[in-house]
Amino acid sequence: MPVRGARPLPTKLKAVRNTLRKGRANMHEPEVTVEIPRCPAHLGAEAKREWRRVSVDLVGYGLLTKIDRAALALYCEAWGRWVEAEKALRTYGVMIKAPSGFPMQSPYLAIANKAMEQMRAMLCEFGMSP
């Protein structure tokens, strides 16, 4: 049966957000070592830059462990796609001419929008939303 309501937040994330109330900490949370996982080799250059940028901050807040490697890779790959699509949109524009001669929406706009959705979802996983 699915759980209703908001998912529980890790105690460290509550502390970072300054929403941790006295006596509400989860005493049964597993202890994990905060560290920057190894960056996957398959990430593109822009994704690797984002990995280096964001991983330092996440470790500084105590929110990144070795097990978070895949989730961070998903976020960084979506970031790389978004940057690439935005560059193409600046080059070709939001509207392009279809082979039939009629104007149509650039496929890069759909790619950029999808990457933004993916980034937003992963940002929430790491508590990086306002």
Side-chain angles (χ1 to χ4, degrees):
M1 178 173 218
V3 178
R4 294 181 183 239
R7 293 186 319 186
L9 293 174
T11 303
K12 285 188 179 189
L13 186 53
K14 289 179 185 178
V16 168
R17 290 181 173 178
N18 202 23
T19 60
L20 181 61
R21 296 190 329 211
K22 189 176 182 179
R24 301 286 302 263
N26 182 356
M27 303 311 283
H28 302 290
E29 272 185 354
E31 287 294 320
V32 292
T33 304
V34 175
E35 65 181 85
I36 298 175
R38 188 174 43 83
C39 182
H42 72 275
L43 294 183
E46 192 63 46
K48 286 180 180 178
R49 272 192 290 282
E50 183 66 0
W51 179 284
R52 287 189 296 272
R53 184 189 73 81
V54 78
S55 63
V56 171
D57 289 335
L58 288 171
V59 163
Y61 288 122
L63 298 174
L64 188 63
T65 65
K66 225 194 289 192
I67 200 162
D68 298 318
R69 182 176 186 238
L72 186 57
L74 290 172
Y75 163 73
C76 291
E77 194 62 42
W79 171 271
R81 278 195 201 111
W82 178 70
V83 169
E84 186 178 334
E86 288 294 323
K87 286 178 184 175
L89 283 170
R90 279 193 297 282
T91 301
Y92 303 111
V94 177
M95 299 297 289
I96 62 171
K97 187 188 261 188
S100 64
F102 290 101
M104 65 178 262
Q105 177 181 301
S106 170
Y108 293 113
L109 186 59
I111 294 168
N113 288 339
K114 185 65 175 177
M116 280 192 283
E117 287 176 26
Q118 292 168 341
M119 285 187 323
R120 186 181 50 77
M122 294 315 297
L123 287 170
C124 291
E125 291 295 318
F126 287 104
M128 295 190 293
S129 60

